[in-house]
Amino acid sequence: MNDNKDRSDYKQPQSCHPQDVKENKKSGSGFWKELVRGIIISNPVFILILGLCPVLAITNSISNAFGMGAGVIFVLLCSNVLISSIRKATPSMVRIPVFIVVIATFVTILNLVFEAYLPPLYESLGIYLALVVVNCIILGRAEAFASKNPVLLSIADAIGTGIGFTISIIIISFIRETMGTGKMELFGRQLFSVPGLSAHPLIFFISPPGAFLVIGIMMALLRLVGVMKNE
Amino acid sequence: MNNLLTIFVSMVIINNMVLAKFLGLCSFFGISKKLSNAFSMGIAMTLVMLLASVSTSVIYNYILVPYKVEFMKIVIYILIIASLVQITEIIIRRTNINLYNALGIYLPLITVNCIVLAIALINSTENYTVLESIVNALGAGVGYTLVIIMMSGIREKLDLADSPKSMRGLPVAFLVAALLALAFVGFNGII
């Protein structure tokens, strides 16, 4: 899982040199730059290929994707803020355990909140909600960004990366749910149904093999149009 | 006994951690390029999973449940797993330097591998006893090893194939995984 994290560290110097960040801090443009970078230039799912497990597992319905996206944004934001605020007090020897404990605390809060107020979503996300704690996006951002940058920029980074993640899983779940059920339901309300396809849905797409196929083809297409680099 | 066998078989092929539950995908795609590496990774993974599952289920059944602090399990499990991986790494380095070099970077990466935490969490949500947890972890480990070996065998051959340029590497590996997963869906009716 962390070979991907290393890759995100490697990407770091291209997009945010520490010097650039310092220059932009006063003008306020650094905030928006970090925000947009997380959404597009270093989109965690399609460009960096981080945190794949939830991406494949919960994209069988768009409601799950919204729930998971909200959860990841919450944990990412809270952990980035806290880690960035304590970055000067954290000895670098024990920084990874500190990050993990901070993230695990917020994931516990997230689980308890979902269990209490959104029981249907909690049921359908199941174990994957607790597994946000080992999602490499969150630890990756903590290590590569929040531990080196001031609080405001870390907020921008968290929101950007979180929205980038959410948009990606919404796109994938949109494809899988429309193909797999022939209709689109958002939290119990039906949005539209595709004539013909809803009578004979391609169940393959909401089954596990369909997830691999959709993501594989999307990656190949992104490479074909040049968004992603070939190996 | 029957119950244990059911747990084992279901973990190895029906609820396979990688292909049916999508857990541990990063290491699955990252390390399946060479057969020998894949095999060592599978063994290391099974070992850590067994240790983690024994210790977390003992702590869950005899400490967390009696004192009613089950909600702390995520924090406690991740700390146990992280320290276990550290200890395993030190022991392997001291006793078998060749194995240590072969495993290389993969051993510390197991800490953040979702399978290990997932097994610990499944053990506690299903209220498995310590023995059932061990069998559960063993099944998951064998399933992971089986799938990563199959995948690396295919990918070694795939490197020689003349696939379209934009499909090379990860995308084609995903398509192979889709076909493997499709084969594993066929086991669904066994139990």
Side-chain angles (χ1 to χ4, degrees):
Chain A
M1 190 175 276
N2 267 26
D3 59 334
N4 293 325
K5 206 190 83 192
D6 293 344
R7 220 180 299 165
S8 84
D9 288 344
Y10 167 68
K11 283 246 167 185
Q12 219 53 31
Q14 301 171 342
S15 42
C16 63
H17 295 282
Q19 296 93 331
D20 292 355
V21 173
K22 264 179 200 155
E23 281 164 20
N24 285 329
K25 203 165 66 177
K26 281 174 194 149
S27 62
S29 66
F31 186 86
W32 297 108
K33 210 180 97 192
E34 291 306 328
L35 200 84
V36 173
R37 188 180 53 78
I39 299 176
I40 302 161
I41 307 165
S42 52
N43 183 297
V45 178
F46 290 129
I47 312 290
L48 301 181
I49 318 175
L50 281 174
L52 280 179
C53 312
V55 170
L56 284 125
I58 54 93
T59 50
N60 52 1
S61 89
I62 205 160
S63 316
N64 282 353
F66 271 103
M68 186 53 119
V72 168
I73 292 178
F74 167 78
V75 176
L76 199 54
L77 190 60
C78 295
S79 63
N80 255 15
V81 168
L82 192 58
I83 287 166
S84 169
S85 345
I86 60 170
R87 70 183 189 282
K88 288 188 180 129
T90 319
S92 70
M93 280 283 283
V94 293
R95 67 182 193 287
I96 301 286
V98 170
F99 297 164
I100 289 178
V101 172
V102 168
I103 294 167
T105 312
F106 286 117
V107 172
T108 308
I109 296 172
L110 178 76
N111 269 271
L112 295 176
V113 169
F114 268 54
E115 195 175 2
Y117 296 107
L118 302 161
L121 205 56
Y122 180 77
E123 283 290 308
S124 65
L125 289 177
I127 193 170
Y128 298 102
L129 200 59
L131 289 179
V132 171
V133 70
V134 280
N135 192 322
C136 22
I137 298 174
I138 296 172
L139 192 60
R141 290 333 287 166
E143 163 73 9
F145 199 89
S147 61
K148 299 188 187 89
N149 287 289
V151 178
L152 196 63
L153 285 178
S154 304
I155 293 177
D157 179 70
I159 296 176
T161 311
I163 291 178
F165 176 78
T166 312
I167 290 176
S168 322
I169 58 174
I170 286 174
I171 294 172
I172 298 167
S173 60
F174 182 81
I175 298 172
R176 285 185 65 195
E177 194 175 344
T178 351
M179 300 291 275
T181 62
K183 52 186 186 281
M184 176 62 51
E185 266 182 16
L186 186 58
F187 299 115
R189 294 223 327 264
Q190 190 169 328
L191 298 181
F192 64 84
S193 75
V194 186
L197 201 60
S198 56
H200 303 284
L202 304 164
I203 303 165
F204 172 76
F205 280 92
I206 48 170
S207 69
F212 285 113
L213 186 76
V214 169
I215 298 198
I217 288 177
M218 283 185 82
M219 265 180 198
L221 286 177
L222 284 174
R223 284 184 180 183
L224 199 63
V225 297
V227 182
M228 256 168 81
K229 283 202 185 90
N230 287 317
E231 275 183 17
Chain B
M1 192 60 215
N2 214 352
N3 180 28
L4 294 182
L5 194 67
T6 314
I7 294 176
F8 183 77
V9 173
S10 132
M11 265 302 172
V12 175
I13 53 177
I14 300 164
N15 288 324
N16 187 287
M17 276 293 168
V18 180
L19 295 177
K21 298 269 175 117
F22 308 112
L23 296 171
L25 286 180
C26 300
S27 66
F28 177 65
F29 285 116
I31 298 163
S32 60
K33 280 175 195 149
K34 271 178 71 188
L35 195 59
S36 51
N37 285 350
F39 186 69
S40 337
M41 182 65 184
I43 298 298
M45 196 74 172
T46 313
L47 198 71
V48 172
M49 251 191 276
L50 274 174
L51 289 173
S53 154
V54 172
S55 42
T56 53
S57 80
V58 166
I59 285 177
Y60 182 76
N61 285 321
Y62 298 105
I63 297 177
L64 297 189
V65 173
Y67 292 98
K68 296 200 168 54
V69 285
E70 291 100 326
F71 68 90
M72 285 290 286
K73 64 183 179 205
I74 299 176
V75 180
I76 291 175
Y77 287 2
I78 193 99
L79 288 177
I80 292 176
I81 292 169
S83 34
L84 258 176
V85 172
Q86 283 291 316
I87 294 168
T88 322
E89 194 185 344
I90 293 168
I91 292 174
I92 292 182
R93 190 166 52 192
R94 287 289 153 84
T95 53
N96 190 342
I97 193 77
N98 290 332
L99 183 62
Y100 178 78
N101 289 335
L103 291 175
I105 184 81
Y106 308 129
L107 200 57
L109 294 190
I110 296 174
T111 314
V112 283
N113 200 310
C114 23
I115 302 186
V116 185
L117 184 64
I119 284 292
L121 289 171
I122 290 172
N123 287 339
S124 43
T125 43
E126 300 274 328
N127 282 322
Y128 283 156
T129 60
V130 178
L131 188 61
E132 283 169 336
S133 308
I134 295 172
V135 174
N136 196 21
L138 192 66
V142 171
Y144 179 85
T145 315
L146 181 73
V147 170
I148 200 169
I149 287 176
M150 281 161 72
M151 185 73 179
S152 61
I154 296 173
R155 280 184 81 177
E156 277 188 354
K157 294 271 185 297
L158 210 58
D159 278 346
L160 307 172
D162 183 27
S163 49
K165 207 174 168 198
S166 53
M167 292 289 273
R168 255 169 234 166
L170 216 44
V172 82
F174 267 87
L175 298 194
V176 169
L179 293 176
L180 276 180
L182 201 58
F184 273 70
V185 168
F187 290 118
N188 259 341
I190 288 186
I191 294 177

